[in-house]
């Protein structure tokens, strides 16, 4: 038993050192250890204590390791490249022009704060006036709408020589099902912060107090139903449980209210077969689209749309989203504007 324990510790030590130590000719920098602590008492403190002491956690991070330091160094280098661009004198449509303009827009706090919610109001009105039979259309085509589920193309798990379409559970503003279903001090605090966040962002687009509360209630009702149907993290570890191929025609028969054929056609795609990741979740979506009040569905989609846009709008939206992230992650300080602005072209035009 002792031999097995020591073997496991040795493997864990090797992997932890790789994550927590800086570059060294011998592979291990002893300065990153804390050898005043016995490894069998607190292995993490023993392996990483020196690093943590030399690199105290900054308030803009919830964690900080060597890979985070590498990311910081990279951001500084990319910032130097981007700020050196003269997008006004570059060819229109070129990568340099697009990157420079996107970064400049992200840095223009005066313009963003002046515009407020204006850039998204037209889409919000569209969602608010969408009929039940047309909900699938805005889900398929409106940028920023991330409701109910996700789809994407990847290699077929049973035949790597071909790509196929996958359908996955989703639609949770908090990301993880447990935030909706667990009853603990932490998850209760997260749910209350989420409700406050929804009230704030809907107020910023003009909803009165009664409408704000209505949206909160509808969002929590729909997202809790989705969470109850979603697979747990443990269940998602079984790849075959998430491999359920179905033809578009069979999906239409079994889930008639989730018109995936129309959904893909609106995106310009002809899809014959879809790998359904979580059938129970698809059943829940089908029931919601059929039976839930259309006002509730519209409120749910509006809230998710505003949230997806929040980081690109005025400081009021950005700060509201950060207040939610503080409760979830423990981060105490928002990143400086240049880092947030840099993430936009980096994500959209990274290649």
């Amino acid at each position: 038993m002792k031999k097995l324990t020591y073997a496991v510790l040795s493997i864990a030590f090797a992997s932890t050192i790789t994550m927590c130590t800086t570059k060294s000719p011998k592979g291990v920098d002893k300065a990153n250890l804390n050898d005043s602590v016995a490894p069998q008492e607190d292995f993490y403190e023993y392996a990483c204590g020196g690093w943590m002491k030399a690199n105290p956690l900054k308030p803009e991070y919830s964690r900080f390791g060597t890979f985070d330091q590498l990311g910081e160094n990279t951001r500084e280098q990319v910032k130097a490249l981007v700020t050196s661009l003269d997008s006004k004198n570059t060819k229109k449509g070129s990568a340099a022009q697009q990157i420079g303009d996107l970064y400049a827009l992200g840095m223009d706090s005066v313009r963003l704060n002046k515009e407020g919610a204006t850039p998204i109001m037209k889409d919000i009105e569209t969602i608010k006036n969408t009929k039940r039979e047309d909900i699938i259309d805005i889900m398929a085509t409106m940028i920023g709408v991330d409701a109910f589920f996700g789809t994407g193309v990847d290699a077929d798990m049973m035949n790597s020589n071909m790509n196929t379409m996958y359908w996955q559970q989703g639609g949770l503003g908090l990301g993880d099902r447990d935030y909706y279903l667990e009853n603990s001090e932490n998850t209760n605090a997260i749910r209350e912060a989420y409700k406050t966040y929804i009230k704030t962002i809907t107020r910023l687009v003009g909803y009165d107090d009664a409408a704000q509360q209505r949206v909160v209630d509808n969002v929590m009702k729909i997202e809790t139903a989705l969470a109850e149907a979603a697979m747990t993290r443990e269940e998602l570890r079984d790849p075959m449980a998430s491999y359920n191929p179905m033809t578009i025609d069979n999906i239409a028969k079994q889930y008639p209210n989730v018109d995936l054929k129309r959904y893909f056609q609106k995106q310009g795609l002809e899809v014959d077969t879809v790998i359904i990741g979580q059938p129970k979740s698809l059943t829940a979506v089908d029931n919601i689209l059929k039976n839930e009040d259309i006002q509730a569905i519209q409120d749910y989609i509006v809230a998710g749309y505003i949230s997806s846009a929040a980081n690109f709008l005025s400081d009021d939206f950005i700060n509201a989203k950060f207040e939610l992230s503080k409760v979830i992650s423990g981060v105490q300080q928002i990143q400086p504007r240049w880092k947030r602005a840099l993430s936009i072209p980096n994500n959209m035009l990274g290649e």
Side-chain angles (χ1 to χ4, degrees):
M1 183 65 182
K2 287 185 177 180
K3 289 182 179 180
L4 176 60
T5 302
Y6 289 141
V8 172
L9 278 174
S10 297
I11 295 171
F13 177 75
S15 60
T16 306
I17 291 299
T18 301
M19 294 174 61
C20 301
T21 57
T22 56
K23 186 177 179 180
S24 168
K26 297 183 179 180
V28 176
D29 186 345
K30 291 184 177 180
N32 290 325
L33 308 178
N34 181 1
D35 53 14
S36 67
V37 176
Q40 63 268 34
E41 297 297 329
D42 188 339
F43 184 74
Y44 188 79
E45 176 62 32
Y46 168 73
C48 300
W51 164 266
M52 291 189 290
K53 184 178 180 180
N55 299 273
L57 190 62
K58 297 177 182 178
E60 66 179 274
Y61 292 100
S62 60
R63 50 152 286 168
F64 196 82
T66 50
F67 286 106
D68 299 286
Q69 182 62 64
L70 177 63
E72 281 292 277
N73 295 341
T74 301
R75 271 189 288 273
E76 291 286 353
Q77 293 172 337
V78 174
K79 177 189 177 184
L81 290 172
V82 172
T83 54
S84 68
L85 294 173
D86 182 6
S87 60
K88 292 181 180 179
N89 294 316
T90 55
K91 184 179 179 180
K92 186 176 181 179
S94 66
Q97 178 259 316
Q98 295 178 62
I99 291 170
D101 286 354
L102 280 172
Y103 180 73
L105 178 60
M107 292 297 292
D108 192 351
S109 60
V110 173
R111 173 182 172 179
L112 293 172
N113 287 329
K114 181 179 179 180
E115 291 179 343
T118 301
I120 62 173
M121 291 308 300
K122 184 177 179 181
D123 284 346
I124 289 175
E125 289 303 314
T126 298
I127 297 170
K128 289 166 62 177
N129 292 293
T130 299
K131 298 177 181 179
R132 185 184 302 273
E133 60 268 24
D134 297 325
I135 289 293
I136 201 72
D137 293 351
I138 61 171
M139 290 172 58
T141 60
M142 185 176 288
I143 296 173
V145 170
D146 185 22
F148 291 116
F149 57 82
T151 59
V153 175
D154 206 342
D156 192 309
M157 287 193 294
M158 300 300 290
N159 181 4
S160 60
N161 291 320
M162 61 179 290
N163 290 330
T164 192
M165 182 66 72
Y166 285 84
W167 184 101
Q168 299 291 332
Q169 66 187 32
L172 301 179
L174 287 173
D176 193 298
R177 68 184 296 279
D178 291 346
Y179 288 143
Y180 298 87
L181 306 181
E182 285 189 358
N183 186 23
S184 65
E185 182 178 352
N186 181 52
T187 54
N188 288 335
I190 289 173
R191 283 194 291 272
E192 289 306 310
Y194 187 44
K195 294 174 185 178
T196 299
Y197 169 66
I198 295 171
K199 284 187 176 182
T200 301
I201 60 175
T202 50
R203 173 179 58 80
L204 291 173
V205 299
Y207 283 47
D208 61 23
D209 291 346
Q212 293 167 33
Q213 187 60 54
R214 186 197 72 227
V215 176
V216 168
D217 294 340
N218 286 331
V219 167
M220 294 307 296
K221 177 172 59 174
I222 289 177
E223 293 189 7
T224 300
L226 292 173
E228 290 171 342
M231 279 189 179
T232 66
R233 292 186 184 185
E234 292 77 15
E235 290 170 333
L236 290 170
R237 292 174 184 170
D238 179 1
M240 295 314 300
S242 294
Y243 188 85
N244 305 280
M246 293 184 68
T247 66
I248 283 289
D249 290 338
N250 284 338
I251 292 173
K253 292 177 183 177
Q254 192 164 341
Y255 309 98
N257 302 290
V258 187
D259 193 344
L260 286 185
K261 184 174 184 178
R262 178 173 170 178
Y263 175 86
F264 291 125
Q265 286 178 341
K266 288 290 181 178
Q267 297 176 338
L269 303 173
E270 291 294 331
V271 179
D272 295 323
T273 301
V274 182
I275 309 299
I276 303 300
Q278 299 77 33
K280 186 178 177 182
S281 180
L282 182 52
T283 299
V285 174
D286 188 70
N287 289 334
I288 291 170
L289 290 176
K290 177 183 179 182
N291 300 314
E292 190 56 75
D293 182 74
I294 185 59
Q295 176 74 77
I297 295 173
Q298 291 166 346
D299 285 346
Y300 160 68
I301 296 176
V302 164
Y305 174 80
I306 301 171
S307 186
S308 71
N311 284 334
F312 309 102
L313 299 172
S314 63
D315 287 342
D316 288 340
F317 288 95
I318 292 170
N319 292 334
K321 195 157 193 176
F322 177 69
E323 288 301 314
L324 175 61
S325 71
K326 283 173 64 175
V327 179
I328 297 174
S329 69
V331 172
Q332 294 301 307
Q333 179 178 303
I334 195 168
Q335 288 190 334
R337 179 171 288 275
W338 73 264
K339 289 184 181 180
R340 292 181 277 122
L342 188 64
S343 69
I344 300 172
N346 204 32
N347 289 334
M348 296 178 66
L349 302 167
E351 295 183 2

